[in-house]
């Protein structure tokens, strides 16, 4: 049973445009969400996170939006650059109440940014 | 200077063999983890260690055993390797347990023939 779902396996965007990556979760106990970026043959790299007490977090070109009622979050990259081409993983956890740090990952979305 | 390192990067071995994957972090973190990324690309937690104590032990076969000689190292030992163990194994660390952000190593691709 997938608790974190990324329903788009791939996304292609033109350089300079906005990239929007989506993620849905089923467990309402999750209270902290993260996005990781992964290049081939490398480990995932932390990108940005958001706590469930917020609905938006911004860091430079990257913004994560959280809609708790819909159990949905999205990552916006503006403007997209060719170097952003990678696989993006959404992850969720329960920081409070005994999750013990267990990150639950989605399957990933492969973003291709074309020059 | 690599924050989380793993050796080897690639490991090819026969069924039934015993192998180990080493992991080291120089971030001064308290907690380390092992994840498995299977052929379907899911990243799943296997173990975590906090101050030399096993905190999470998901439903993995007992052929897999994590060993932590000190806070900076968490090695993964696998006995009697099976075909289904073929995957990419990632080590990670975080400052504290349930601290949110985890920092990952480059991964070890294990192929069992």
């Amino acid at each position: 049973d997938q608790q974190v779902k990324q329903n788009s396996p791939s996304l292609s965007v033109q350089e300079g445009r906005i990239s929007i990556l989506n993620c849905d979760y089923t467990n309402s106990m999750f209270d902290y969400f993260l996005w990781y970026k992964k290049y081939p043959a490398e480990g995932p790299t932390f990108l940005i996170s958001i706590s469930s007490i917020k609905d938006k977090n911004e860091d430079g070109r990257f913004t994560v939006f959280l809609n708790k009622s819909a159990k949905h979050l999205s990552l916006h990259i503006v403007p997209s650059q060719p170097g952003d081409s990678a696989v993006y993983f959404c992850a969720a956890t329960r920081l409070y109440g005994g999750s013990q740090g267990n990150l639950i990952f989605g399957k990933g979305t492969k973003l291709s940014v074309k020059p | 200077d690599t924050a989380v390192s793993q050796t080897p990067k690639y490991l090819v071995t026969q069924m039934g063999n015993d192998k180990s994957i080493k992991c080291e972090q120089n971030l001064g973190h308290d907690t380390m983890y092992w994840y498995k990324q299977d052929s379907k690309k899911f990243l799943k937690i296997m173990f975590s260690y906090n101050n030399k104590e096993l905190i999470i032990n998901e439903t993995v076969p007992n052929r897999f055993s994590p060993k932590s000689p000190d806070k900076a190292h968490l090695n993964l030992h696998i006995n009697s390797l099976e075909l289904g163990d073929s995957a990419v194994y990632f080590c990670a660390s975080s400052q504290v347990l349930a601290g949110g952000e985890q920092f990952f190593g480059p991964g070890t691709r294990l192929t069992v023939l």
Side-chain angles (χ1 to χ4, degrees):
Chain A
D1 181 32
Q2 283 180 251
Q3 296 186 69
V4 177
K5 298 177 186 179
Q6 293 177 257
N7 292 319
S8 298
S10 63
L11 175 67
S12 183
V13 170
Q14 207 67 31
E15 181 180 4
R17 299 289 185 99
I18 184 171
S19 295
I20 300 176
L21 296 105
N22 294 305
C23 177
D24 297 294
Y25 61 95
T26 58
N27 189 339
S28 57
M29 302 302 290
F30 288 144
D31 55 20
Y32 196 75
F33 304 89
L34 307 90
W35 284 95
Y36 281 83
K37 175 180 179 180
K38 185 182 179 303
Y39 293 117
E42 293 184 12
T45 302
F46 170 73
L47 199 54
I48 193 169
S49 61
I50 188 166
S51 164
S52 60
I53 62 173
K54 295 185 173 183
D55 55 18
K56 177 183 174 181
N57 188 26
E58 194 171 350
D59 183 1
R61 296 186 298 113
F62 302 92
T63 303
V64 55
F65 295 91
L66 175 62
N67 182 334
K68 279 183 295 184
S69 60
K71 294 192 181 69
H72 176 84
L73 63 155
S74 60
L75 174 68
H76 292 213
I77 307 173
V78 183
S80 301
Q81 299 173 353
D84 296 330
S85 297
V87 177
Y88 288 79
F89 289 96
C90 172
T93 189
R94 188 179 168 195
L95 278 193
Y96 309 101
S99 79
Q100 299 176 336
N102 194 1
L103 289 184
I104 308 296
F105 282 88
K107 202 171 174 179
T109 296
K110 184 176 182 179
L111 174 65
S112 299
V113 180
K114 299 185 176 178
Chain B
D1 200 18
T2 307
V4 182
S5 59
Q6 295 177 228
T7 54
K9 192 165 176 65
Y10 300 96
L11 183 55
V12 181
T13 188
Q14 299 287 331
M15 261 195 324
N17 283 350
D18 303 336
K19 290 293 178 185
S20 295
I21 306 172
K22 295 185 177 181
C23 177
E24 177 181 0
Q25 56 96 3
N26 62 7
L27 298 167
H29 287 170
D30 278 348
T31 307
M32 296 182 71
Y33 310 83
W34 276 106
Y35 286 84
K36 178 181 179 181
Q37 186 178 33
D38 59 23
S39 57
K40 295 183 179 178
K41 305 300 182 186
F42 281 107
L43 262 167
K44 293 185 180 177
I45 183 78
M46 297 177 73
F47 304 103
S48 71
Y49 254 78
N50 184 22
N51 293 326
K52 295 191 179 183
E53 184 181 353
L54 179 66
I55 300 299
I56 301 174
N57 187 351
E58 295 291 322
T59 53
V60 299
N62 57 14
R63 298 182 294 103
F64 290 77
S65 55
K67 288 189 170 53
S68 181
D70 55 56
K71 200 171 79 166
H73 296 84
L74 182 65
N75 303 324
L76 183 64
H77 297 270
I78 316 170
N79 295 326
S80 303
L81 277 155
E82 300 178 357
L83 292 176
D85 298 332
S86 295
V88 182
Y89 293 84
F90 289 98
C91 176
S93 71
S94 63
Q95 193 163 14
V96 295
L97 186 65
E101 293 83 7
Q102 295 179 15
F103 295 81
F104 283 78
T108 296
R109 181 174 290 277
L110 170 66
T111 303
V112 182
L113 303 175

